[in-house]
Amino acid sequence: MRVAILTNEFPPHIYGGAGVHVEYLTRELVGLNGVDVDVYCFGDQNLLEGNLTVRGVEAGPASKVQDPRHAKIFGTLSRNLRTAGLVHGADIVHCHTWYSHWAGCLVKQLTGAKLVLTTHSLEPHRPWKVEQLGTAYQLSAWLERTAYKNADGVVAVSPSMKSDVHALYGVSHDRIRVIPNGIDPDEYRPTFDKGVLEKYGVDATVPFVLFVGRITRQKGIIHIVDAMEYLHPGIQVVLAAGAPDTPDIEREMTRRVQAARKRSDRKIVWISDMLPRADIIALYTHAAVFACPSVYEPFGIINLEAMACETAVVASNVGGIPTVVKDGETGILVPVDTDGQKPRDAGAFARSLADGINQLMADPTKRAAFGKNGRERVLKKFSWRAIATQTLAYYESLISTSHSRSKTSPRCVSGTL
């Protein structure tokens, strides 16, 4: 079987959970018998290693645009068009995020490959992307909708995402398979390194709560900043937060952190660089509590990473997070009532986050138990090898089903723009 994986992110250019998913899924797929994997990604990568080929695709010449926010989507479409001309011999074309969906639809029509999409997030549930894309957000939503209507199979990373795909795009339940994200527990494991704390200015003598993620509305970082005023004294806050969606949200983040520093003498460490994985693992390990205040989270792979490092979690009770974090066993789930892009009562949410963090900070025994339980859950439920095996079985079922039917031309269904 030849599998073409189409993605925006692939090492060394990774900034989010979808990229992490693709990196590890690819690594495990090439270790399975009879599978050749071709990765087409955004960038300058170029690799041929055994049954793995990685081809970076650069954007074409810059298009003239009336709105500067449209430049990104025209670059994306340019890469998609180039990618579609490169893919050949694929039995499966597997796309990750809307950035690669147009190419996937074109490859399906040009080659007859089965089109598979993994649902990392859905554009209708990310309306704040208008800040980043302007009216191009309507186009990204249309591309996504069109791809789901044309997909032969959909991988949802959580049961809640399966429900969302069906409700938003009318994809029948029998065309959606729930296969979760995973973790490499040999890489993500308790790894103490006080040198990392020293390097970033973290006080090793003061317990800290850790946030890891991009500066985006989705990840809810503004709410953890707002929660600081409700935290008990003697709690340090470390924000490993970079890659802002827009200059506006970066400025807002800066203002909020400055205001939080003025309100108290609490130590707040904001690391704005994208950190090496080894450093992130050390921060997870040393953290007393990991906080995930997302307002929209299809899965939440960062919670798996923290749990694998035996760190207790305080997280929003939204989307796929309850699939990962077990309330009262591996962490505390905080209720949040959202309107799809923000909490309806941001103040109440910030206080609830602080309450959960304070509860664990005050009980080291519970923290330690949650940490042990978290790693055990990771080992039992979320290995990448098991996930790759499930994914390959899904590919095989799609190909087998198509062979059992009479051959017809690939269908094309267009979403409504």
Side-chain angles (χ1 to χ4, degrees), residues 197 200-204 206-209 228 234-239 261 264-270:
L197 303 188
Y200 296 110
V202 180
D203 188 340
V206 179
F208 67 90
V209 57
M228 290 181 196
I235 298 175
Q236 189 176 194
V237 177
V238 178
L239 308 171
R261 284 174 171 152
S264 76
D265 59 0
R266 182 187 314 284
K267 184 162 188 179
I268 302 169
V269 179
W270 178 9

Side-chain angles (χ1 to χ4, degrees), residues 344-364:
R344 289 190 170 89
D345 189 337
F349 180 44
R351 287 189 293 272
S352 295
L353 285 168
D355 287 346
I357 294 167
N358 287 334
Q359 182 186 146
L360 287 179
M361 284 293 192
D363 193 339

Side-chain angles (χ1 to χ4, degrees), residues 95 99 103 148-149 159 180:
C95 297
Y99 286 100
Y148 277 94
K149 289 182 179 295

Side-chain angles (χ1 to χ4, degrees), residues 10-231:
F10 196 78
H13 309 307
I14 287 184
Y15 62 87
V20 173
H21 177 108
V22 174
E23 176 185 0
Y24 284 95
L25 176 64
T26 300
R27 186 188 72 180
E28 294 300 333
L29 282 174
V30 298
L32 300 178
N33 289 332
V35 182
D36 293 314
V37 179
D38 301 324
V39 176
Y40 299 88
C41 50
F42 290 13
D44 56 0
Q45 299 92 326
N46 187 14
L47 174 69
L48 175 57
E49 191 174 273
N51 56 333
L52 172 65
T53 302
V54 181
R55 175 89 178 257
V57 181
E58 300 279 8
S63 302
K64 292 182 179 180
V65 293
Q66 295 180 353
D67 185 333
R69 293 175 296 180
H70 294 173
K72 184 173 185 178
I73 202 164
F74 277 100
T76 296
L77 292 173
S78 170
R79 283 184 165 102
N80 273 243
L81 193 59
R82 289 175 173 221
T83 298
L86 294 172
V87 180
H88 62 92
D91 301 294
I92 296 287
V93 55
H94 190 165
C95 297
H96 297 266
T97 78
W98 70 267
Y99 286 100
S100 63
H101 282 169
W102 188 40
C105 288
L106 293 175
V107 171
K108 173 183 168 71
Q109 302 305 318
L110 292 169
T111 69
K114 294 299 177 185
L115 175 59
V116 177
L117 312 176
T118 287
T119 306
H120 299 283
S121 61
L122 293 168
E123 291 298 277
H125 288 167
R126 305 198 300 168
W128 52 83
K129 297 294 283 186
V130 172
E131 297 177 27
Q132 183 181 10
L133 299 175
T135 54
Y137 170 71
Q138 299 174 32
L139 181 52
S140 68
W142 175 79
L143 290 168
E144 181 176 273
R145 182 164 58 251
T146 299
Y148 277 94
K149 289 182 179 295
N150 281 276
D152 298 287
V154 174
V155 175
V157 295
S158 67
S160 69
M161 288 305 293
K162 178 175 181 176
S163 298
D164 287 346
V165 169
H166 175 73
L168 287 170
Y169 298 132
V171 179
S172 61
H173 289 297
D174 63 349
R175 283 201 292 131
I176 309 172
R177 183 75 59 87
V178 176
I179 304 175
N181 275 313
I183 195 77
D184 181 348
D186 292 328
E187 182 174 16
Y188 286 89
R189 58 188 304 171
T191 308
F192 293 92
D193 184 350
K194 288 188 177 180
V196 171
L197 303 188
E198 182 179 350
K199 178 165 61 171
Y200 296 110
V202 180
D203 188 340
T205 67
V206 179
F208 67 90
V209 57
L210 173 69
F211 171 92
V212 175
R214 291 178 290 118
I215 302 174
T216 172
R217 304 289 177 195
Q218 175 182 341
K219 300 301 180 182
I221 186 171
I222 297 299
H223 306 297
I224 198 67
V225 175
D226 289 345
M228 290 181 196
E229 67 175 297
Y230 306 111
L231 294 179

Side-chain angles (χ1 to χ4, degrees), residues 1 3 25 29 32 35 92 116 155 177 179 385-401:
M1 182 188 297
V3 179
L25 176 64
L29 282 174
L32 300 178
V35 182
I92 296 287
V116 177
V155 175
R177 183 75 59 87
I179 304 175
R385 176 51 60 95
I387 289 161
T389 301
Q390 292 176 58
T391 303
L392 178 59
Y394 190 38
Y395 294 161
E396 291 171 339
S397 72
L398 293 172
I399 293 172
S400 175
T401 299

